[in-house]
Amino acid sequence: MFVVTEGYKFASAPIVLGIAALFLGWHILALQIAAFVLLALGTFILYFFRDPERVVPSDPSAIVSPADGRVLEVIDEQFGGRPGKRITIFLAVWNVHVNRTPLTGKISRIEYRAGKFQMAMRKTASAENEQNVIYLETAHGQIVFKQIAGMIARRVVLWKKVGDQVERGERIGIVRFGSRMDVWLPLEAEVSVKPGDQVAGGASILARWT
């Protein structure tokens, strides 16, 4: 399974130290324990940064999930004075954390907002936590989605820039170690998920244009 490049960077130190401790302290229990802990940590980091392939739905009206995780809420919410719905997805530490674009379109605007690092499950995290807000112009209209940091995830990473053309399900970034993503859709989109649903980034359909 493919691993995001950042994963190797973060995993290399504990793996190298673990191997060194294993060889240097093969007869010392404390070093053996340290080696096991370091190797386990490095393995978990590689697992966290995994990036599996996904089968993207071919339905042109489908809006796919930008992230793996559990749907926390689907609520009516205005954005920029326009009525619509917000879908919130919570990413647990064991979920894939590579983010994908919900629909084919052009990135017209990106806002980085510095903020707090509250628990990602809190309702206030959508407005108050550190985040990247991505505006996507599509053939159907504008949608907006957010990478939102949490209490543990303190780094939102976006690999795209304003003006980039993206395809539905394309990889666009990553949020490290537990987080959430919000998707705002206009009223023309018919939401097909509910709180409690498990979704897979790039593969699960959140809504369809009516």
Side-chain angles (χ1 to χ4, degrees):
M1 183 179 292
F2 181 71
V3 174
V4 176
T5 304
E6 287 181 87
Y8 296 110
K9 179 177 69 174
F10 286 103
S12 59
I15 289 176
V16 169
L17 290 173
I19 293 173
L22 192 64
F23 279 96
L24 293 174
W26 61 270
H27 61 295
I28 302 174
L29 181 59
L31 282 178
Q32 290 177 5
I33 294 172
F36 172 79
V37 171
L38 288 167
L39 290 172
L41 176 61
T43 301
F44 170 75
I45 291 173
L46 289 176
Y47 174 75
F48 175 86
F49 282 97
R50 68 197 185 281
D51 183 15
E53 292 295 336
R54 294 287 163 78
V55 177
V56 181
S58 58
D59 181 354
S61 68
I63 301 169
V64 301
S65 176
D68 287 36
R70 177 169 58 90
V71 176
L72 278 184
E73 57 184 359
V74 179
I75 63 171
D76 294 326
E77 183 174 280
Q78 288 194 354
F79 192 93
R82 294 176 295 159
K85 289 186 179 293
R86 170 168 58 82
I87 303 170
T88 292
I89 301 163
F90 174 71
L91 292 76
V93 70
W94 54 81
N95 289 127
V96 172
H97 273 60
V98 173
N99 307 142
R100 296 169 180 262
T101 183
L103 202 60
T104 296
K106 182 178 180 179
I107 297 176
S108 61
R109 183 178 174 187
I110 298 170
E111 294 178 7
Y112 167 73
R113 300 177 182 174
K116 300 178 181 179
F117 297 98
Q118 305 175 76
M119 290 183 63
M121 297 180 73
R122 289 187 176 180
K123 292 181 181 295
T124 52
S126 179
E128 298 179 1
N129 277 23
E130 176 179 311
Q131 58 193 260
N132 281 322
V133 185
I134 303 123
Y135 296 75
L136 185 67
E137 304 297 332
T138 79
H140 303 283
Q142 185 187 74
I143 67 173
V144 181
F145 57 108
K146 302 178 180 181
Q147 297 175 297
I148 303 174
M151 186 171 63
I152 300 175
R154 291 174 173 255
R155 185 81 168 93
V156 287
V157 180
L158 186 62
W159 301 328
K160 300 296 182 179
K161 62 184 184 301
V162 173
D164 282 353
Q165 186 74 27
V166 291
E167 299 295 322
R168 178 175 43 208
E170 183 178 341
R171 298 167 176 86
I172 55 105
I174 190 169
V175 186
R176 297 176 189 160
F177 305 110
S179 53
R180 70 187 267 170
M181 288 199 76
D182 286 355
V183 184
W184 180 86
L185 303 172
L187 292 179
E188 293 79 12
E190 184 176 330
V191 176
S192 53
V193 293
K194 62 185 184 304
D197 286 353
Q198 295 289 329
V199 292
S204 297
I205 297 175
L206 295 185
R208 286 183 171 86
W209 290 99
T210 57

